[in-house]
Amino acid sequence: MSPQQQKKYDLDPELVHVREVSNVGKVGGRSSIKGRVYKHASNIAVGYSKANLDHMIDQARKTGKMHLNNMNLKLPLPDEIFDLRKNILKYYDGTMDGTNEQFWSCYGEEMLTTLDLSDNELSHDQNKNTTLSSSISIMDERIGCYKALENLFLRNCNLDDLPWKTMRKHLVALKVLDARGNKFTQVPLKDLPPSIRKLLLADNHTIQTLGNYYDCIDLPHLQHLDTSNSSLTLLPSELKCPRLERLILAKNQIEYISPGLLDSIQSCLKILDLSGNKISSSLDLSQHCNLQILELRHNKLKDAPRIHCNLMHLGLSFNEVSSIENLFAGQMDDNVKSLQDEGHEWFRSKLTEVHLEQNRLDKTLHAPTLAAMTNLKLLDVSHNALETIPHVVGYLPHLNKVLLDGNPFRMIRSAISYKKNGGIDTDRLLKSLRCKGDAPMGPGYYGSIYEGIEEKKARMMPQAVTEARNILKHASCNDQVLNIGGRGLSGELDWPELVAELNAIVKDVTSSSDLHPMTRGSQVRTWVFSNGKLSTFGDIWIQALPNITALEGKRNQIETLPDSFSQLFLKTLGLSQNRITSSTLQDSICIPGSNLASSLVHLDLSNNQIEYIPESLFEFSRLTSLNLSFNKIKTLEWKQDSNNNKTSSVGWRHGLISLEHLDLSNNAIHDLGYLPLALSGCKYLRSLLLNNNAIYHIPLELGLLEQLTNIDLLGNSQREIRVRVLTQSCSKILQYLRERMTPEEVEEARENHREIELALQHEVNQPDNGFVGEDKVQKEVLNEDDDDDDETLVCHSNDDSNTSSNDGNRYSNNHEIKSLEKVSKTTTTITNNNNDTGRSRGEKERLLVDDNDDELLLLQRISELKQNIAELSSKLENLSMSQSQRTTLKKELAMKRSKLLREQRKKDERGER
């Protein structure tokens, strides 16, 4: 073994070398050191190989994935796995010859994406001092250091609990949690990270609850939940999981499922497994249009559940079901005709497998229900009390397997024969059943006369109408998603046949109101028209789709939007890779007080032709995700802009209080304006992407945005901060920026943060405080402190004599503001006292003289401020000035303008009095 390897794989003192073998072997995807044995045999069961652990940590530094499964680890876990940079110089010498990576380019613990601790007996090591009880095994709280962790595997670790709240707070990127085969007693779903997508908790035999019954469980990205083979008795009353596709609750002790729980996941659920429980009450799943597999075997059901026609697999074996008549109740009549959709007269189910063995089915099956199953391939009704089978079964064209064992058949006994392999001769059985009666009415049956009629109608119908109806039919089966993308549509969207179908009235037997009839378009929730060459679409589409909450139109050539676009209550708007300009954004999307402004949550306008950000965007109070990457934005400086004979402010100011993700990467931004300070008002901001711009100077104020968990500043023109710093974790980048600030700069920035917070609070309390006219300056915001001794004044106006003025008055010096406020209070007091009838005439004259003197001083201050502003403006025209000097002058100029505006307002107030 070389000295470098000996140093890298340093062993415990308890270990001895029998022979030195330098190679590292791979066994089953896991690394192992060959040629080493323990001094004592007992150590094999309780200890772990230090060399093996070092090798795994070394691999984690290179790949960002740490596999520590089956390594005999105990609690507390080794410190090394929580600090991957510990002793890193011991292994990496920093040479540039390619043999060793530079230590700053390795993965740290905050950058790991995968951690596997499976198959470790994570009970407490009795040889180590620990404050925790040895009988309770709880995962280490230090797991919160893995900020970027996406996959966490804890299978068969003998754990009693996990630090759920720590995981929710710190593991904000977690997608997969596999904790099967542990000893959890409860799993509080409300404490899981919202980013979780796959949650596997099977074989935890002691789990009884998933939290309290009325807990608000909001997991917007959860797709797969598995708690099978546990002891669950209580389920939550509601699950806010709009993407949940697989819900596996088999082999538990569940007796009751709340209708609210089923209703809350009806939009996207595809697989529901409730087998092996104690459910006795009937289930209503008739609105679960995406449900494909329903497994309810080994329960105590007496009535068949109501299901949607899109269900493909139904398992009801080993229950107490006596009839299948209610399977499609409310959806079809006895003639197998639809009761809900006038456009599709005949009701048809997509069921391919129906398992009904070991139930209490008596005499025969409900013929109309079976007649609707034209896609049925397998029917299992064995071990019941059936005497016959309806003849309609013989006309099901795809049926190729029927299981009838264990029934006291009388009327069809002669038709039942067995093949040599022991199975029933299905062909002979179906042929015998067809001899007992005619085919049901409608298409889809064996030898049906309606097949030719339907084909003839389809041939006579125009292709555009047929295609429009097929699109709507697919939308009704796909969570009300209207998808017309990828059809080669170009220019202005013109499809009158589809509009007519969207405006068609849907007759609902459950509604008796004709004042506001339901149309097919009003049922659509998502509209997709991606991957085309569309340039715009008219108002008729907005009228035909009034209730959509998501619109996706990426990869088109959209330039303009309809006038009524802002009337939609959209939550998600995706128009990336189009030709949208700032004018379209300002005139069609960012409309103050519109429905869109009050409802939009996700906005993606990346890869367009946006050059500036309009002021009205900051009124979107619910916006959480904003993507403006790959545009043509050059500056975020807050200034007035004249466009199309309209004067408005553009740039970045405070607002967007719900913002969580902001992407301004891949633009040409060279001036961030007041964005570093304004973002302090975004308390929920987690991700800030400013990479690949033209930023020459990175503002140090970004270091005070402690709420961030991800920041990217790479690929800019700046040369002040090394790349090795900007590639570190978010917390270390922010710490680096903070440490470069002087105490005075930090205090000044904190004061600005407090002013922004007060301004935001005032805007929330007084929603009418904002822009009233196009040429009207912004209002000033006054907030009183609890002591009623001071006021904080935040100005939001622009200098009329300077159209290129900044919005720096919002961040003026707090001491100067308070001084001006005291003068304002004194003036107000004198004015109020002049109205007091108890004042003497001499006192009033004296006050009037003092008031005149104050007015002269006010005029003198205004004149001085204007002179100072002119001097600073001329200095800024010097092209040889450095960037830091220019930034300092801009801040000073903004302060002077702020003070000038306040003095001018005081003058106007005196003139009114």
Side-chain angles (χ1 to χ4, degrees), residues 580-591 603 605 610 612-614 616-617 628:
I580 295 176
T581 62
S582 297
S583 299
T584 303
L585 174 62
Q586 183 173 3
D587 298 338
S588 301
I589 299 177
C590 300
I591 307 298
L603 178 59
L605 295 176
I610 298 173
Y612 60 84
I613 301 176
S616 49
L617 176 65
L628 296 176

Side-chain angles (χ1 to χ4, degrees), residues 96 363 838:
M96 303 298 290
K363 294 184 179 181

Side-chain angles (χ1 to χ4, degrees), residues 837-901:
T837 56
R839 290 287 186 183
S840 62
R841 185 170 183 178
E843 290 177 345
K844 293 181 180 180
E845 291 177 354
R846 185 170 63 255
L847 290 174
L848 183 60
V849 172
D850 293 341
D851 196 30
N852 292 333
D853 293 340
D854 290 342
E855 187 172 359
L856 292 175
L857 292 175
L858 184 62
L859 293 174
Q860 184 178 358
R861 287 198 297 270
I862 291 175
S863 177
E864 292 176 356
L865 288 171
K866 287 183 177 180
Q867 185 177 358
N868 293 336
I869 290 173
E871 293 175 356
L872 291 174
S873 300
S874 62
K875 289 181 180 180
L876 282 175
E877 296 177 357
N878 186 4
L879 299 178
S880 62
M881 187 180 302
S882 66
Q883 184 67 24
S884 59
Q885 292 175 338
R886 186 177 298 276
T887 302
T888 303
L889 284 178
K890 283 185 177 181
K891 289 184 178 180
E892 186 178 356
L893 179 61
M895 285 183 174
K896 296 295 183 183
R897 286 173 175 163
S898 175
K899 293 165 66 175
L900 176 62
L901 290 170

Side-chain angles (χ1 to χ4, degrees), residues 117-398:
L117 292 169
S118 302
D119 302 309
N120 287 288
E121 189 73 15
L122 294 184
S123 57
H124 289 286
D125 192 345
Q126 301 299 325
N127 298 324
K128 295 184 179 181
N129 295 326
T130 177
T131 58
L132 294 174
S133 172
S134 60
S135 62
I136 301 178
S137 300
I138 303 177
M139 185 62 190
D140 204 312
E141 292 269 354
R142 291 177 292 175
I143 197 174
C145 70
Y146 303 115
K147 304 290 186 182
L149 194 65
E150 296 182 359
N151 306 301
L152 177 59
F153 300 98
L154 298 170
R155 295 186 302 270
N156 305 320
C157 289
N158 202 28
L159 288 169
D160 294 295
D161 205 356
L162 291 176
W164 303 106
K165 293 186 179 180
T166 300
M167 293 169 61
R168 181 178 179 87
K169 181 178 180 181
H170 297 289
L171 304 186
V172 295
L174 189 64
K175 296 180 181 178
V176 178
L177 174 59
D178 187 350
R180 291 174 287 182
N182 285 282
K183 301 186 300 183
F184 301 149
T185 56
Q186 65 171 354
V187 178
L189 294 182
K190 66 182 182 64
D191 292 333
L192 284 170
S195 59
I196 195 75
R197 295 184 181 179
K198 193 173 184 179
L199 180 60
L200 305 178
L201 300 169
D203 301 319
N204 281 272
H205 301 289
T206 54
I207 292 182
Q208 296 182 356
T209 66
L210 299 177
N212 296 327
Y213 181 74
Y214 293 106
D215 279 348
C216 180
I217 299 172
D218 189 1
L219 299 174
H221 301 286
L222 185 63
Q223 298 177 1
H224 187 173
L225 174 59
D226 184 357
T227 62
S228 58
N229 200 15
S230 299
S231 301
L232 277 177
T233 58
L234 181 65
L235 296 177
S237 61
E238 183 180 3
L239 284 177
K240 295 182 179 180
C241 304
R243 299 184 181 181
L244 186 62
E245 295 182 355
R246 294 169 175 258
L247 181 58
I248 313 298
L249 300 171
K251 296 183 181 180
N252 282 281
Q253 304 295 322
I254 302 171
E255 298 181 0
Y256 174 75
I257 297 181
S258 168
L261 172 62
L262 296 176
D263 292 342
S264 63
I265 56 176
Q266 70 179 17
S267 60
C268 58
L269 192 64
K270 294 182 179 179
I271 299 176
L272 177 60
D273 189 351
L274 293 168
S275 59
N277 283 281
K278 300 179 180 179
I279 302 173
S280 58
S281 58
S282 180
L283 303 178
D284 186 358
L285 302 169
S286 58
Q287 301 300 319
H288 292 63
C289 58
N290 289 315
L291 190 62
Q292 297 178 6
I293 299 176
L294 175 61
E295 194 57 69
L296 293 168
R297 65 184 185 276
H298 289 283
N299 276 279
K300 298 182 179 181
L301 291 171
K302 296 181 179 180
D303 297 319
R306 293 180 58 191
I307 61 174
H308 194 274
C309 61
N310 292 336
L311 188 69
M312 301 178 67
H313 176 99
L314 175 62
L316 286 173
S317 304
F318 299 93
N319 279 279
E320 301 175 8
V321 177
S322 59
S323 174
I324 62 172
E325 184 176 355
N326 293 326
L327 278 179
F328 305 113
Q331 302 179 64
M332 71 172 200
D333 57 16
D334 289 340
N335 294 321
V336 202
K337 290 188 177 181
S338 175
L339 297 176
Q340 297 182 348
D341 195 345
E342 183 184 11
H344 302 87
E345 182 179 1
W346 301 102
F347 181 84
R348 294 293 179 263
S349 169
K350 294 183 179 180
L351 275 174
T352 58
E353 293 186 16
V354 176
H355 297 267
L356 292 165
E357 66 266 30
Q358 290 281 5
N359 277 278
R360 296 183 179 180
L361 298 173
D362 189 17
K363 294 184 179 181
T364 188
L365 298 173
H366 190 246
T369 301
L370 288 173
M373 304 179 187
T374 54
N375 294 292
L376 194 64
K377 296 180 180 180
L378 185 149
L379 176 63
D380 186 354
V381 291
S382 57
H383 302 287
N384 283 279
L386 295 174
E387 297 179 0
T388 186
I389 295 292
H391 72 276
V392 297
V393 174
Y395 290 96
L396 300 180
H398 303 288

Side-chain angles (χ1 to χ4, degrees), residues 777 780 793 795 797-802 805 809 820 854-855 857-867 869 896-913:
V777 298
E780 61 184 8
L793 177 63
C795 299
S797 59
N798 299 299
D799 188 3
D800 295 336
S801 61
N802 251 313
S805 63
N809 45 326
L820 292 173
D854 290 342
E855 187 172 359
L857 292 175
L858 184 62
L859 293 174
Q860 184 178 358
R861 287 198 297 270
I862 291 175
S863 177
E864 292 176 356
L865 288 171
K866 287 183 177 180
Q867 185 177 358
I869 290 173
K896 296 295 183 183
R897 286 173 175 163
S898 175
K899 293 165 66 175
L900 176 62
L901 290 170
R902 288 195 292 272
E903 299 296 340
Q904 287 177 339
R905 285 199 178 100
K906 289 182 181 180
K907 177 184 175 184
D908 296 339
E909 291 174 359
R910 290 176 181 273
E912 292 176 359
R913 289 197 297 269

Side-chain angles (χ1 to χ4, degrees), residues 494-716:
D494 185 18
W495 197 339
E497 294 84 3
L498 181 56
V499 174
E501 291 295 326
L502 290 171
N503 291 325
I505 298 176
V506 177
K507 292 185 178 180
D508 189 353
V509 296
T510 62
S511 176
S512 60
S513 176
D514 295 332
L515 297 177
H516 301 285
M518 178 71 70
T519 63
R520 295 180 183 174
S522 62
Q523 296 177 331
V524 176
R525 295 295 177 265
T526 302
W527 185 23
V528 180
F529 53 88
S530 305
N531 304 319
K533 296 182 180 180
L534 294 174
S535 60
T536 187
F537 52 93
D539 289 321
I540 57 173
W541 294 96
I542 305 300
Q543 298 169 3
L545 300 167
N547 297 329
I548 58 173
T549 59
L551 187 147
E552 183 64 49
K554 61 183 178 181
R555 288 192 290 272
N556 276 284
Q557 299 177 5
I558 300 293
E559 298 178 356
T560 60
L561 295 171
D563 296 336
S564 59
F565 185 77
S566 60
Q567 296 177 5
L568 295 173
F569 285 93
L570 292 179
K571 293 183 179 179
T572 302
L573 175 57
L575 291 173
S576 59
Q577 302 183 43
N578 280 280
R579 299 179 180 178
I580 295 176
T581 62
S582 297
S583 299
T584 303
L585 174 62
Q586 183 173 3
D587 298 338
S588 301
I589 299 177
C590 300
I591 307 298
S594 63
N595 298 337
L596 189 62
S598 62
S599 63
L600 196 61
V601 177
H602 304 284
L603 178 59
D604 184 359
L605 295 176
S606 59
N607 222 321
N608 277 280
Q609 299 179 6
I610 298 173
E611 297 179 351
Y612 60 84
I613 301 176
E615 59 183 351
S616 49
L617 176 65
F618 298 93
E619 296 190 13
F620 286 60
S621 58
R622 298 187 61 188
L623 195 66
T624 63
S625 176
L626 177 59
N627 188 351
L628 296 176
S629 59
F630 292 95
N631 276 283
K632 300 180 179 180
I633 304 173
K634 295 183 178 180
T635 179
L636 299 180
E637 180 184 5
W638 187 256
K639 60 183 180 181
Q640 282 194 345
D641 181 73
S642 297
N643 186 31
N644 296 331
N645 297 326
K646 296 181 180 180
T647 302
S648 60
S649 297
V650 299
W652 195 277
R653 70 173 180 91
H654 68 279
L656 302 179
I657 57 177
S658 301
L659 195 63
E660 297 179 9
H661 305 283
L662 176 60
D663 191 350
L664 294 171
S665 61
N666 296 282
N667 280 276
I669 301 174
H670 61 82
D671 187 357
L672 293 179
Y674 296 100
L675 178 134
L677 294 172
L679 290 181
S680 65
C682 304
K683 301 299 183 183
Y684 304 101
L685 188 64
R686 294 294 178 265
S687 176
L688 176 61
L689 305 181
L690 294 171
N691 51 297
N692 299 329
N693 278 285
I695 303 174
Y696 185 78
H697 172 72
I698 295 180
L700 302 180
E701 291 87 351
L702 289 174
L704 300 178
L705 302 178
E706 299 177 357
Q707 70 270 34
L708 288 177
T709 59
N710 181 30
I711 186 171
D712 194 346
L713 298 168
L714 293 169
N716 282 286

